[in-house]
Amino acid sequence: MTSDRVALCLVGCGGMGSRHILGLAALQRTGLSTVDLVAVCDLDETAAQRAAGEAEELLGRRPKVHLSIADAVADPDIAAFDVVTEASSHLAVTLPALRAGKHVLSEKPLGITVRSCLAMVEAAAASGAVLATAENYRRDPPNRLVRAVLDAGLLGEVFLAQETRLGGSDLIITTPWRHLKDRGAIGLDMGVHLTDVFQYYFGPIASVYGDGFIAEPVRRRRPSPSRDLPAYRAAWEKLPEQVTATGEDSVVALYRMESGVRVQLSYVNSGLGKRYLSRSIHGRLGSLEISKDRSGRGPVLHRDGATLTGREILAELPDFALDDVTSALFGADGVEYDLPAGEADAGGLAIELHDFGRAVLTGTPPEVDGEGGTTAVAGLLGAYESGLLGRPVTMKELLDATVSAYQDPVDAQLGLTEVAR
């Protein structure tokens, strides 16, 4: 680790690994990078070498290749890990690193059960290592503006927010594991983005009442890769003709935040009908309409009979400014932007990577630490636990494992039988 950049190893060289390399390249172009990719790691040598080649092309230097996490953890040239393996393996990958005092940025969901998340948090606390959760949606500049509107009180007392994502298809969502309960199915994998955004806007979750379910029991092979990247094409070629789902693709829930705000969530990523997408926040002085994350469309503020969109809202927030790295990636007035989808995606990943490196270098907490990643997972799985019990469940019950029946079989498979703290 140099004085200004953290020596980083990318663990997981599939599609998300390629996207993180694009994020690292975007960050490097800003001249503000806090991390230096020195190695990649994957059990599949072909995938690891492909990622090393992508890094060489985009970053100007070929990183070392490791084929096991044990070898990577033992490498004295590596100070930190960027873990982008499939969700069910996060625990097995991060624990050896954290116990060795190496810092970890883990893709969301941090773990596929609350106990697995707590085990990582405990390991980081014991060794003094930084544990951060990669959450890119909150980093989208329009969401930064939403938070500023809330902080400034432009909506007055906020009493309700709603998130609706309905409709999809019966196709496999990128990889088969996103439809398997013991691997971290899409209801959790996507849902934690949303519970994290709720916590970013409104503070901690107090309780949740809801249910999860499988709306599409059989998923079919996609006719083409979900993204035009070599790793996605390689994964698509190996897709089975169909997958029988064992994990939830849908969740419907009502959250009560500690602040008193109620949040309605309807996420049903299936069904062949029309797609519906909306997010809104409602207060006594006005309301906000919020467009799809990473779309570049600014929020719309309705207040006192007037409507302000995106940059127009900035006039109401004279003290608001995007931070330096976000401004470098999206523009100083990037609360609205017109960028290709891949560039916007890379920008969000670049911001979370920069924040992780800053936390390691300065000793200050990352924006989304292990605790934040844990409560996002608990908030989503809490809806499933609530469905089994037929009553609301509290965050306290979820974190101390008073309520864990849905997760118990998965914890047993992971070798976790006791609460991590």
Side-chain angles (χ1 to χ4, degrees):
M1 182 168 68
T2 65
S3 60
D4 60 345
R5 291 198 295 170
V6 178
L8 187 70
C9 175
L10 175 71
V11 187
C13 297
M16 200 67 209
S18 292
R19 288 166 61 190
H20 273 235
I21 291 170
L22 289 168
L24 288 163
L27 180 58
Q28 181 170 285
R29 289 193 294 271
T30 69
L32 299 171
S33 185
T34 55
V35 291
D36 181 22
L37 186 66
V38 299
V40 298
C41 179
D42 200 288
L43 298 175
D44 182 340
E45 185 172 4
T46 299
Q49 294 292 352
R50 179 180 60 236
E54 292 171 355
E56 182 177 21
E57 179 180 352
L58 292 169
L59 300 172
R61 188 183 69 211
R62 191 176 187 87
K64 282 192 282 188
V65 170
H66 287 292
L67 301 181
S68 76
I69 189 63
D71 287 347
V73 169
D75 187 339
D77 294 331
I78 296 171
F81 291 88
D82 179 19
V83 177
V84 298
T85 58
E86 68 174 71
S88 61
S89 67
H90 288 178
L91 181 68
V93 170
T94 61
L95 281 185
L98 292 168
R99 287 168 176 165
K102 308 270 179 140
H103 310 288
V104 172
L105 170 66
S106 172
E107 257 300 338
K108 59 80 211 164
L110 180 61
I112 60 172
T113 67
V114 174
R115 282 191 177 100
S116 64
C117 294
L118 292 174
M120 295 181 227
V121 171
E122 183 181 70
S127 69
V130 171
L131 173 60
T133 307
E135 275 293 356
N136 56 336
Y137 279 27
R138 65 161 63 203
R139 266 87 179 203
D140 198 29
N143 278 331
R144 299 305 205 193
L145 181 57
V146 170
R147 174 65 185 267
V149 167
L150 294 170
D151 288 347
L154 297 186
L155 300 185
E157 179 189 355
V158 174
F159 44 80
L160 178 67
Q162 68 82 29
E163 175 87 32
T164 300
R165 293 174 181 244
L166 304 176
S169 73
D170 62 351
L171 300 179
I172 295 169
I173 302 174
T174 306
T175 59
W177 67 258
R178 285 192 168 90
H179 304 289
L180 305 177
K181 174 179 174 176
D182 62 352
R183 305 277 290 279
I186 190 65
L188 172 64
D189 188 51
M190 178 63 198
V192 293
H193 273 312
L194 306 178
T195 50
D196 178 72
V197 166
F198 302 160
Q199 293 187 124
Y200 176 58
Y201 290 167
F202 308 119
I205 295 168
S207 65
V208 54
Y209 178 54
D211 195 12
F213 55 96
I214 298 172
E216 203 65 62
V218 176
R219 293 279 176 164
R220 298 184 297 110
R221 191 177 194 271
R222 303 183 63 85
S224 61
S226 56
R227 289 177 183 261
D228 187 22
L229 291 171
Y232 280 84
R233 291 194 292 272
W236 173 75
E237 290 171 358
K238 299 177 182 178
L239 282 183
E241 288 303 314
Q242 66 178 42
V243 174
T244 299
T246 61
E248 291 79 358
D249 57 16
S250 304
V251 57
V252 176
L254 175 63
Y255 292 88
R256 179 66 70 96
M257 314 303 285
E258 288 185 8
S259 62
V261 177
R262 302 158 188 85
V263 181
Q264 296 174 324
L265 169 64
S266 298
Y267 174 73
V268 184
N269 192 354
S270 57
L272 303 181
K274 180 181 176 180
R275 291 176 184 261
Y276 295 85
L277 175 66
S278 68
R279 181 185 298 163
S280 60
I281 303 173
H282 305 268
R284 297 197 180 280
L285 298 181
S287 63
L288 270 176
E289 295 176 64
I290 305 158
S291 295
K292 182 180 180 182
D293 304 290
R294 298 176 296 177
S295 69
R297 296 189 294 272
V300 180
L301 174 63
H302 301 281
R303 188 165 169 263
D304 294 332
T307 298
L308 301 175
T309 300
R311 296 188 187 99
E312 295 174 344
I313 300 172
L314 295 176
E316 304 293 315
L317 300 166
D319 297 327
F320 171 77
L322 295 172
D323 62 77
D324 289 347
V325 68
T326 305
S327 295
L329 290 158
F330 291 92
D333 58 354
V335 294
E336 291 181 279
Y337 58 82
D338 183 14
L339 296 174
E343 191 172 334
D345 181 62
L349 299 176
I351 295 166
E352 68 188 20
L353 286 158
H354 176 273
D355 178 68
F356 173 59
R358 175 204 56 76
V360 173
L361 292 169
T362 64
T364 55
E367 180 174 340
V368 188
D369 58 10
E371 297 279 357
T374 299
T375 53
V377 168
L380 194 286
L381 292 177
Y384 300 168
E385 300 286 1
S386 172
L388 290 179
L389 292 172
R391 66 166 176 84
V393 298
T394 66
M395 182 60 71
K396 181 179 184 302
E397 290 176 305
L398 293 162
L399 293 179
D400 67 15
T402 302
V403 170
S404 64
Y406 174 88
Q407 303 165 75
D408 287 345
V410 182
D411 279 327
Q413 183 173 303
L414 293 171
L416 297 170
T417 57
E418 297 180 358
V419 182
R421 67 177 182 188

